[in-house]
Amino acid sequence: MEMLQSPDFWIGLIKIVWINIILSGDNAVVIALAARSLPPELQRKAILFGSGAAVVLRIVLTFVAAKLLGLPFLQVVGGLLLLWIGVQLLSEEEEEEGEAKSSGNMMAAVRTILIADLVMSLDNVIAVAAAAKGSDLLLILGLGISIPLVIFGSTLMIKLMERFPIIVMLGAALIGWVGGETIASDVFLADFAHANPWLHYAAATAGAVLVVLVGKVLQARAAAAHKAA
């Protein structure tokens, strides 16, 4: 109870919530892309399960992120995973309207959300841990409060994607951008990146372009195969 009466506690909580508001944008895009082709009732479940599990995963990750970021090639692998996820989300065919989807597809969406959030949160959770200043209660409360923020953002993004399909491509490009950034941030490339500041933006741009190009090519092939059948 004494902790709840401390101004430092509330200041730390506000910092963590604010950090999560800032950092939840790309996570909301991933969740929206993964859940957009599910029927409405499964969309809500995928967003709820994916967001909740992602926050729990982020809490666990907070305690080991600093050590993980010191491992060479870890962020290269994570970045490649994000590029693959971006391509898959852009290239997958949407099933015909009214066609029922299995719970297996919902679980696939939740799995995609978890993998993407795990990779994208590696460096973000360090900022959250710094704001918590060693308080486990503050950390868990702050991240728990961020769940509705991510859910609201994801729901809004799905509605925007339905109205403006180009947002799907922009969302996939964002995932590619983060993937390229992640690869360039690997500790193995730290010296080269420090000597060549352009690498960060070049890798991010290349990731975004790669995801869009490959995703569109696979999308066109799938559409052609569907027409031929």
Side-chain angles (χ1 to χ4, degrees), residues 141-204:
L141 277 177
L143 292 175
I145 292 172
S146 72
I147 293 178
L149 298 176
V150 176
I151 292 175
F152 173 76
S154 304
T155 304
L156 177 62
M157 285 303 303
I158 288 178
K159 292 184 182 302
L160 288 175
M161 286 175 182
E162 291 173 352
R163 187 167 183 179
F164 307 104
I166 192 173
I167 294 179
V168 174
M169 184 181 71
L170 295 177
L174 174 62
I175 296 173
W177 178 279
V178 176
E181 279 185 325
T182 303
I183 292 172
S185 300
D186 191 90
V187 65
F188 177 74
L189 299 171
D191 292 338
F192 183 77
H194 181 72
N196 300 275
W198 53 265
L199 177 65
H200 176 86
Y201 299 102

Side-chain angles (χ1 to χ4, degrees), residues 58-82:
R58 200 176 295 185
I59 292 172
V60 175
L61 187 60
T62 300
F63 299 103
V64 296
K67 293 182 180 179
L68 288 177
L69 286 173
L71 297 177
F73 299 110
L74 178 68
Q75 288 184 271
V76 171
V77 174
L80 292 174
L81 265 175
L82 281 180

Side-chain angles (χ1 to χ4, degrees), residues 84-163:
W84 177 77
I85 288 172
V87 168
Q88 291 298 310
L89 291 176
L90 183 59
S91 64
E92 68 179 7
E93 278 190 288
E94 293 189 16
E95 294 186 24
E96 294 181 7
E97 191 173 341
E99 186 175 346
K101 299 199 172 191
S102 66
S103 60
N105 282 346
M106 190 193 77
M107 294 311 298
V110 172
R111 185 171 62 248
T112 298
I113 291 167
L114 285 177
I115 293 173
D117 191 82
L118 172 65
V119 176
M120 297 166 82
S121 298
L122 267 175
D123 51 354
N124 293 350
V125 293
I126 292 180
V128 175
K133 294 182 178 179
S135 171
D136 294 344
L137 174 62
L138 190 56
L139 180 66
I140 293 172
L141 277 177
L143 292 175
I145 292 172
S146 72
I147 293 178
L149 298 176
V150 176
I151 292 175
F152 173 76
S154 304
T155 304
L156 177 62
M157 285 303 303
I158 288 178
K159 292 184 182 302
L160 288 175
M161 286 175 182
E162 291 173 352
R163 187 167 183 179

